[in-house]
Each structure stands twice: as C-alpha cells, then as structure tokens.
Amino acid sequence: MNKKDILWGLGIALLLALVLSPFASPWPDGLERVAEDKGFLEKGEVAPALSSPVPDYAWPGVKDEKAATASAGILGTLVVFGAGWGLAGLIKKKD
Amino acid sequence: MHIPDGFLTATTWGPAWLVSVVGLGACIRTAAAKLKDKMVPLMGVMSAFVFAAQMLNFPVVGGTSGHLLGGVLAAVMLGPWAGAIVLAVVLVVQCLIFQDGGLTALGANILNMSFIGTLGGYAVFAILKKILGKKLLLAAAAAAAWLSVVLASTACSLELVLSGTAPFNVVFPAMLGVHVLIGIGEAIITTFVLSFVLKVRPDLVEVSHE
C-alpha cells in the first residue's frame, strides 16, 4: 500500500465523516428501538462508567449541530486511523 | 447495536470482558504471523473507514435506523484476524471517546461485533466462497454480511436475556426482526465497497490473491 492509496482511503473516510455524518438518520438504532419498545431503555440511563470527552458524537460547546457532529467524526476517524495503523505496526514488529 | 452501561449485569459483562481480552490476544498472535508489510497502513485505513461508515445511520423502518457493522468487509479485505482487530479498535475508540457503547459492556460489544460479527461472518463467507466459487465472491460476501448482523444481534439478545433485562421471547424476535432488515443495508454497502476496491486495487483484497 503506497502513500497515494493511504491518502485516498483516509480521504474517503474523512469525507464520509465530514460531509455525510451530519445527515445520518437521527432515528434510534435497532437495539435502542427494541429497548424503547420493550421497556428496558431506562436501564441504560444510568451514569456511564466512564465520562467520555465527546459524548454522542457531538463536540460539547459547539452550537451548530451539524458542525458538532462533523468535527467529532473527523476526530474519531483520525484517532482510529492512527490507532489501527499503530497497533498493526506494533504487532508486526513483534515477529 | 452498541450496548450501553446498565443493560447487562456483571455476571454477563464480566465473562464477556474476559472472553474479549483472551480472544483479542489470540487475534493479535494469529494476525502477527500473517501480517504483510502493506497491510499495516491498510489496517489504519480500514479502521478509519469502518468508524466513519458506522456514523452513517440509514433509516430502516418505522423510526428505526441502522448502520454498517463492517466486520465482513474488514475481514474480506484484511483476513479475519486483522479484521477482528480493526473492529475492536473502532469499538474501543467509540466507547472511550464518544460514549457509544458502555465501558462495562465493551467486552460484550467486542464479543458480538468483533468476534461473532467479524470472525463468524468471515467463516460464513469462507464456506459460501467454497460452495459458490470465486466468481461469486461478491454474492458470498453479501450473504455473509447479512448473516453477520443477524448473528451479532442474536448474541446481543442472549446477553440481554442472561442479564434478566428482557425475556427471550420478547427481545429475540424484536431484535431479529429489526436486524434482518439492517443486514440488507450491510450486504449492499459491503458489496458496493468490495466491488469498488476489487476494481481499482484488487491486490489490496486479501481473499482475491490467496
């Protein structure tokens, strides 16, 4: 995989996060829907075991909802890109 | 189907954590032996793609949405072990930074999506590929992608039942009913992305040059 492929791949992922994520369906996903319909959604409304810096894919403090989501998407995409590559590099070195 | 904190009891999420840690260790050891140099950055790219794609919820039916799981896609691209690691990386970041999936439930989420969805989904793909032949690789991937979502959601249902959160006869049909539909989206996206990569860079798809 050369530099051009990497940039293309990462670019496509960033574009999805930046451009499409603010327009994703806001409806609950399958598990949330079932939890709501079957009356156990409130069990998940406990204080989370860990408070995350960017809960629910929206930067706290960013008023514009679309910008909050898009920027969270960019952050996450870059973090997993680095983590995935870094971890693969570490695994590779071991052998 | 990221399980939040509170849905599972410790007697369920505890063992699931253990399984996920031991299983990831096994994935790392197995992937290390097979990892080629060019796959190292590709694991970063696949992680980025799966993360971004998982943000793109598509409407399914009646006020319900779904999103790509990406397990079969990652596994067909990278092989099952590296694919499972990619999914785990995505799940860990989603949990730690975005509160998508609880920290207590992280083991269960890795078990469902990274092991059952990705390793299990790949096993289905491998069997179908053998039956259908290489020419129908995309069909095998589509069917495996669909089933991977159904299997992962079934595992999720069982964990909810084990935790006493909902009875089996209530949660299982409901989860199945939604995820057979979400799985169609999974099959379409997986087939679309794979056919695109096979067209532009077939050498990057692990199974195309076994």
Side-chain angles (χ1 to χ4, degrees):
Chain A
M1 208 182 192
N2 59 40
K3 215 180 220 172
K4 206 178 117 194
D5 297 325
I6 297 167
L7 287 174
W8 264 106
L10 179 63
I12 291 171
L14 286 172
L15 208 66
L16 293 178
L18 181 72
V19 180
L20 290 183
S21 77
F23 299 98
S25 170
W27 288 343
D29 77 355
L31 173 60
E32 275 175 278
R33 162 58 60 193
V34 170
E36 204 177 316
D37 290 352
K38 305 303 172 193
F40 61 89
L41 190 64
E42 72 274 9
K43 288 200 180 187
E45 279 157 8
V46 292
L50 170 100
S51 58
S52 308
V54 193
D56 299 321
Y57 301 94
W59 271 106
V62 178
K63 282 203 184 100
D64 183 277
E65 232 174 82
K66 286 187 165 52
T69 303
S71 53
I74 293 293
L75 169 82
T77 304
L78 290 173
V79 169
V80 291
F81 173 69
W85 189 340
L87 182 63
L90 282 177
I91 296 170
K92 179 79 196 161
K93 267 180 207 160
K94 271 187 189 161
D95 60 12
Chain B
M1 65 183 89
H2 294 52
I3 305 171
D5 289 322
F7 276 17
L8 303 182
T9 50
T11 48
T12 306
W13 63 252
W17 253 102
L18 188 71
V19 170
S20 75
V21 170
V22 173
L24 277 179
C27 285
I28 286 174
R29 276 193 305 276
T30 318
K34 299 176 183 230
L35 209 58
K36 300 179 195 97
D37 279 326
K38 67 169 185 185
M39 281 165 65
V40 171
L42 186 56
M43 279 179 71
V45 171
M46 273 315 291
S47 303
F49 183 82
V50 169
F51 175 87
Q54 286 202 0
M55 280 187 81
L56 308 179
N57 285 61
F58 47 83
V60 186
V61 69
T64 307
S65 72
H67 61 70
L68 183 78
L69 197 161
V72 169
L73 176 64
V76 173
M77 292 279 300
L78 293 160
W81 312 104
I85 294 168
V86 161
L87 262 286
V89 164
V90 170
L91 289 166
V92 167
V93 171
Q94 286 171 331
C95 168
L96 295 183
I97 303 187
F98 301 103
Q99 216 163 298
D100 190 13
L103 183 63
T104 55
L106 181 58
N109 284 324
I110 289 176
L111 170 61
N112 298 346
M113 290 180 262
S114 182
F115 299 165
I116 293 165
T118 307
L119 298 178
Y122 185 85
V124 174
F125 166 77
I127 293 166
L128 288 176
K129 199 183 80 167
K130 209 165 248 175
I131 297 170
L132 299 173
K134 227 174 174 179
K135 271 192 184 157
L136 290 173
L137 190 124
L138 287 175
W146 178 80
L147 196 58
S148 74
V149 173
V150 173
L151 290 175
S153 75
T154 299
C156 176
S157 298
L158 293 177
E159 287 146 12
L160 293 168
V161 172
L162 283 175
S163 297
T165 300
F168 182 82
N169 60 353
V170 168
V171 74
F172 175 72
M175 284 292 279
L176 190 68
V178 178
H179 288 91
V180 293
L181 298 175
I182 295 175
I184 297 172
E186 182 83 17
I188 293 171
I189 298 167
T190 301
T191 313
F192 174 78
V193 176
L194 269 180
S195 61
F196 174 76
V197 180
L198 282 168
K199 196 169 269 178
V200 296
R201 287 300 304 273
D203 58 303
L204 290 180
V205 181
E206 176 72 5
V207 293
S208 69
H209 49 93
E210 271 170 352

